[in-house]
Amino acid sequence: MPSAPRSFAVIGLGTFGTTVARELARIGNEVIGIDIEERNVSAVADHISYAVIADARDEAALREAGVGDCDVALIAIGEDLEANVLATINTKMVGVETIWAKAINRTHHRILSKLGAERVILPEEEVGLHVAQVLHNPRMRNYLSMGNGFHVVNFLVPEQLGGKRLSELRLRDKFGVRSLGVMRGTDFLGTEADDPQLKVEDKLMLLGRRNDLRDFAASL
Ligand code: ADP
């Protein structure tokens, strides 16, 4: 179910910040974008609700730009660690409740967490882990870590499973893996209860621990 539109402040409009800001706006949210560089602000101005040239190290400038009225702020300033940390503090000071921040390394990650960022993102590490999982098993797609040891993956049905019913795979008994459902193209074929018949290249949505998912993939 899509969430109700909310208002977001994206601070730092480099590649990462711009991508997030544009996508949030595209899916119906109000987005204020802030950057210290005029050309970065103009590049995104037509795609989001409001784009402002401001220095995020300056609390008053953030307040004036309306950051305090936003539900969520994303601090997407990259290399300049001092500016990133100050932007996080200032965003909090102007009253934003939920702050996500991009870190450049583990130490920075710790600092931002201590400053009260609800979620700290290390984009390169997160994408690196994702890529490794998909490279490791090309049939495993859209790997999503649930953060508690469990993962959701989309698994492309291989030749040898074509024609079988979902129940015949005995995913739960044999591997401790749950199936959340089967997709064919953009259609949802059904859940375990519907016991759909699989076709090669259907997408099987699986929930399980990493090793259990790996055991299932290795059994084929
Ligand atoms: P990316 O890897 O996402 O491109 P960058 O570090 O290149 O990340 O981009 C960060 C953005 O943050 C840049 O557009 C930069 O102009 C902006 N920025 C840096 N310092 C400040 C600041 N004090 N206030 C607002 N924006 C800033």
Side-chain angles (χ1 to χ4, degrees), residues 96-124:
V96 180
E97 283 206 356
T98 306
I99 301 171
W100 285 30
K102 163 177 147 168
I104 49 174
N105 57 41
R106 291 260 144 209
T107 310
H108 189 197
H109 188 295
R110 280 197 71 198
I111 295 170
L112 293 172
S113 302
K114 295 277 181 219
L115 289 176
E118 181 183 293
R119 166 97 201 265
V120 182
I121 307 149
L122 279 162
E124 301 229 305

Side-chain angles (χ1 to χ4, degrees), residues 37-111:
E37 297 277 347
E38 198 266 331
R39 68 194 148 91
N40 296 341
V41 172
S42 341
V44 77
D46 288 344
H47 304 283
I48 63 177
S49 325
Y50 186 41
V52 189
I53 306 166
D55 183 344
R57 290 171 296 188
D58 178 357
E59 184 186 327
L62 291 187
R63 202 181 296 277
E64 202 172 311
V67 171
D69 299 325
C70 291
D71 302 312
V72 183
L74 171 70
I75 313 301
I77 295 174
E79 261 118 73
D80 189 342
L81 201 133
E82 185 182 313
N84 176 304
V85 167
L86 282 173
T88 305
I89 294 171
N90 289 339
T91 308
K92 206 165 183 146
M93 294 302 286
V94 301
V96 180
E97 283 206 356
T98 306
I99 301 171
W100 285 30
K102 163 177 147 168
I104 49 174
N105 57 41
R106 291 260 144 209
T107 310
H108 189 197
H109 188 295
R110 280 197 71 198
I111 295 170

Side-chain angles (χ1 to χ4, degrees), residues 8-57:
F8 293 86
V10 176
I11 299 175
L13 298 169
T15 312
F16 179 69
T18 296
T19 306
V20 176
R22 287 187 61 161
E23 184 63 7
L24 280 171
R26 191 186 68 78
I27 55 187
N29 298 285
E30 191 182 314
V31 181
I32 300 179
I34 288 173
D35 201 285
I36 199 166
E37 297 277 347
E38 198 266 331
R39 68 194 148 91
N40 296 341
V41 172
S42 341
V44 77
D46 288 344
H47 304 283
I48 63 177
S49 325
Y50 186 41
V52 189
I53 306 166
D55 183 344
R57 290 171 296 188

Side-chain angles (χ1 to χ4, degrees), residues 47 180 206:
H47 304 283
L180 305 177
L206 302 176

Side-chain angles (χ1 to χ4, degrees), residues 180-192 194 203 205:
L180 305 177
V182 181
M183 301 283 298
R184 181 167 302 156
T186 52
D187 295 332
F188 185 72
L189 288 191
T191 63
E192 269 170 16
D194 305 308
K203 280 193 214 122
M205 280 177 278

